[in-house]
Amino acid sequence: MWGFYKFMYPRAPRSMMPKDGDVTTPRHCDFCGNSLAEYRGVLETKPNLVASSDSASHLSDSHLSDSNSSDSNPQVNKELFFCNNEHQADFHAGKVYSSAD
């Protein structure tokens, strides 16, 4: 039985295991909502602000540069986390995630 489990469920390669200093706390992808360890995904610490139509009218370039230095606008200062580079690109392209059933 031990041989069967070793064959069916082999160990992951060392390159996939966390290294010293990696953050292993689970985070949710801002595009699809999947939970993944932080070291396995893409963390965007200075996200590009994608202004929606209702907030674009009152945000100017000078206001955005001023709010980057302060904590007054949480939408600008929030770190974004994605499962992979494709989810990051789709998020910034304005696409909406739809699960394939």
Side-chain angles (χ1 to χ4, degrees):
M1 200 55 151
W2 174 82
F4 173 75
Y5 281 111
K6 286 297 268 186
F7 176 73
M8 290 301 293
Y9 304 105
R11 265 197 148 173
R14 269 209 193 277
S15 62
M16 304 276 298
M17 297 294 188
K19 295 167 186 53
D20 291 338
D22 285 345
V23 180
T24 58
T25 56
R27 292 192 63 164
H28 294 283
C29 178
D30 287 318
F31 183 68
C32 69
N34 185 31
S35 182
L36 188 68
E38 187 173 313
Y39 79 96
R40 300 285 309 268
V42 179
L43 183 65
E44 189 174 319
T45 56
K46 293 186 179 183
N48 299 331
L49 179 65
V50 179
S52 61
S53 60
D54 59 332
S55 64
S57 61
H58 64 79
L59 292 177
S60 64
D61 291 336
S62 62
H63 179 69
L64 287 176
S65 63
D66 292 339
S67 64
N68 281 336
S69 60
S70 67
D71 293 335
S72 62
N73 191 350
Q75 192 176 30
V76 173
N77 296 317
K78 182 183 174 203
E79 291 182 334
L80 296 175
F81 178 76
F82 302 101
C83 295
N84 51 40
N85 292 331
E86 288 82 18
H87 283 189
Q88 183 181 20
D90 289 346
F91 178 83
H92 290 298
K95 295 182 181 176
V96 178
Y97 179 75
S98 63
S99 62
D101 292 334

